[in-house]
Amino acid sequence: MGAQGHDAEDVGIAAGAAQAGDRPVAGPSRGPRLGPPLVEYLLRLGDDRLILGHRLSEWCGHGPILEEDIALANFALDLIGQAASLLRLAGAVEGAGRDEDALAYFRDGVQFRNSLLVEQPRGDFGDTIVRQFLFDAYSVLLWEALLGAPHEGLAAIAAKAIKEDRYHLRHSSEWVVRLGDGTAESQARVQGSLDRLWRYTGELFEADAIDQAVAAQGIAVDHRALKARWDQLVDEVLARATLVRPADGPMQRGGRTGRHTEHLGHLLATMQSVARAHPGARW
Amino acid sequence: MTPPIRQLPADDPAQVAAFEARIAAGESIEPKDWMPARYRSQLTRMMSQHAHSEIVGMLPEGNWITRAPSLRRKQSLIAKVQDEAGHGLYIYCGTETLGVDRFDLFNQLLDGTAKYSSIFNYPTLSWADMGVIGWLVDGAAIVNQTVLAKTSYGPYARAMVRICKEENFHKRQGYEICTVLANGTPAQRAMLQDAVDRFWWPSLMMFGPSDTNSPNSGELLRWKVKRKTNDELRQRFVNLTVPQAQALGITVPDPDLRFDPETKNWVFGEIDWSEFQQVIAGHGPCNRERLEARRTAHADGAWVRAAATAHAEKRARRTEAA
C-alpha cells in the first residue's frame, strides 16, 4: 500500500501539472455561478420565506405571551406554506425533477438564495419583531408588484401571499409601535435591534442580472419605486414608535448569490439533519 | 389564587343537597350557579392542570419543529403545537369562569406547585416520537376527554367537545406518520419501534393512579366531574390501541399482554408505579428542563409584557386627553 500510495500521489501532481496548460484557470466571471434566471428568481423568493418561517418556528413554545406564541406560529405556517409553493414552482421550471423538499433539504448553504436579513438568529422578541416588520413591509410591496406578473403560477402565489403578509405587517407594525413607545427599556432594546439589522435591508432592494433577465420575461419589479414606498412605510411606523431611523451606512449583501453569513449553515444543519440522515426515505 | 382545600368554608347542607339533586338529574352546572366550594376547587385543579399540560406539552413536540424532515410535516407539526397553545388559552379562560385569574394559575405552574400531565416530562429523541406522541399521547388524551365532554361543569364540557375534534385530527396525523415509518426503510421502522418502546408505558400512566389508589376519584365521580374511573379509561385505551399496533406491525413492550376472550379486554402487565410517582414528584427525565423552559420564556418576555402595558396606558391617557 505504501509504495502504491506514493506512486498515486506522484501521478496526481504530474497529471495536475500536465493539465494546467490545457484548462483555463480564469473563470467565466468574477461572481458566483448562477442558474437559469427564473429558477434563481423563484429560489430567492422561496428561500426568503423558508428561512424566515424557520426562524419564527424556533419561537414555538417560548413566546413572551401565549397569544404571541400563537401569532408567531401562524406567521411561520404562512411563510413556510408560501415557500413550499415557490420552491415547487422553481423545481418545475428547472425541470430537473427536484420538488420543494429536495430543494429545501438537499441543497447546501451556498446554493440558498435568501437575503441575509432573514437568516439572522431570532434574537430576543424585539429582534424578531423588528426583522419581521422590515421584511413584511418589503414583502407586501413586492407581492403588489408581482400580482400582475405574466406568469400564472407566480401571480397566483402572489395573490394568496399578499393577504397573509398584509396581516403580518399589521401585526408586526403594531408591535414595533408598542415596543418603541412602551418603556425606556423596550425602546432601547428595539432601537438596538433596528440599528443592528438595518445593514441587511439594502440587499432587499438590489437589482442584478437575474432581475433584469426576468424583467425581460415580463416579471418586472421597479426596485427603486419599491424602495421609495418601503422608506415611506417604514418611516411612518418608526415615527409612531418614537424610534430613530438608522442612517443608510454600508450595507451587507451576498445572500442572493449564495454568499451568506455564518448563521445559515447552522440553521441548515439543524433543519436538514433528519432528511439527510435518511436519503431517499419518505416521511 | 385557589385557597388550599383544608381552609375551604363549610357549605350549607341544604344547598349541597339541592346541588347534588341537580347533578343526579343530569343537569349541567354553569359559572353563576351555586356549587360546593370543594367542587369549585376540584374543577379549578383539574382544568388548570389540563391547561398547563397543553402549554408544557408544546415543548417536547416543539423540540422537533426545526428538524421536521419535510415541509409538509414541518407545517403540520407547527399547526399542532399552535393548536395546543390555543387549547391552553381556551381552558385557562374556562378556568377563569370559576373565579380564578389565569396569571395566578400561570404562576403556580412556574413556581412548580401546579401539576401537569406526567407524559411531557419524557424526552423526544427521534422524529418517530412525533408520530408516536400523536398516536399514543393524543390517543390517550382523547379517551379521557371524550368522557370529560360529558362532565357536569358546562364550560369544561363545551371546551372538551371543541378540543376533542382537534385532538382527533392530531391523532390521525400522528398515526399517519407512524404508518409511513412502518412502511419505510429498516432504519425508519427501528426508529418507530424504539419510540413505541419508550412511550408505551408512560402513555398508560397518563390515566393516573389505579382506582385502588386514586384519592380524588370517589368525589369526582359522584359529582359527575369524572364519568369513568382511571382504570376503566386505561383499559379502553389499551383495547383501542393494541389492534392499531398490530396494524403497524410493531410490538408493544409488554410480555404479559394478552387478549382475554371472555372479557374481550387486552390484559396488560403491571405498571411501574414507582416510576409514575417519581415523575409526579418532579424527578422525571425532563421535569427540570420543562419548567426551566417555561420560566425562561416568562422571564425573557417580562420586558415585552411591561412594554405592552405601558403602551396601552399611554394610549388610554392620550385618548382621554383628546
Side-chain angles (χ1 to χ4, degrees), chain B residues 11 54 69 90 131 137 142 161 173 177 192 210 253 257 280:
Chain B
D11 292 313
E54 297 281 358
Y90 195 49
V137 175
I142 290 165
V161 170
Q173 197 172 277
I177 291 177
L192 174 64
S210 81
L257 187 73
I280 292 288

Side-chain angles (χ1 to χ4, degrees), chain B residues 51-84:
Chain B
H52 297 328
S53 299
E54 297 281 358
I55 301 309
V56 178
M58 296 169 73
L59 298 170
E61 290 179 282
N63 183 37
W64 282 88
I65 285 176
T66 55
R67 290 175 287 176
S70 75
L71 294 181
R72 184 170 77 94
R73 292 297 183 201
K74 197 183 192 70
Q75 286 173 280
S76 55
L77 187 57
I78 294 172
K80 177 171 194 266
V81 176
Q82 188 192 31
D83 281 347
E84 284 156 11

Side-chain angles (χ1 to χ4, degrees), chain B residues 118 122 197-210 213 231 234 253-256 268-281 283-285:
Chain B
S118 56
Y122 290 85
D197 290 349
R198 284 181 286 109
F199 277 99
W200 175 259
W201 290 106
S203 301
L204 296 196
M205 293 176 199
M206 282 177 71
F207 296 93
S210 81
N213 189 28
D231 285 337
R234 194 170 2 248
D254 178 359
D256 300 324
F268 50 95
E270 186 62 22
I271 289 172
D272 179 356
W273 292 112
S274 64
E275 176 181 325
F276 176 71
Q277 292 304 338
Q278 281 258 21
V279 177
I280 292 288
H283 307 298

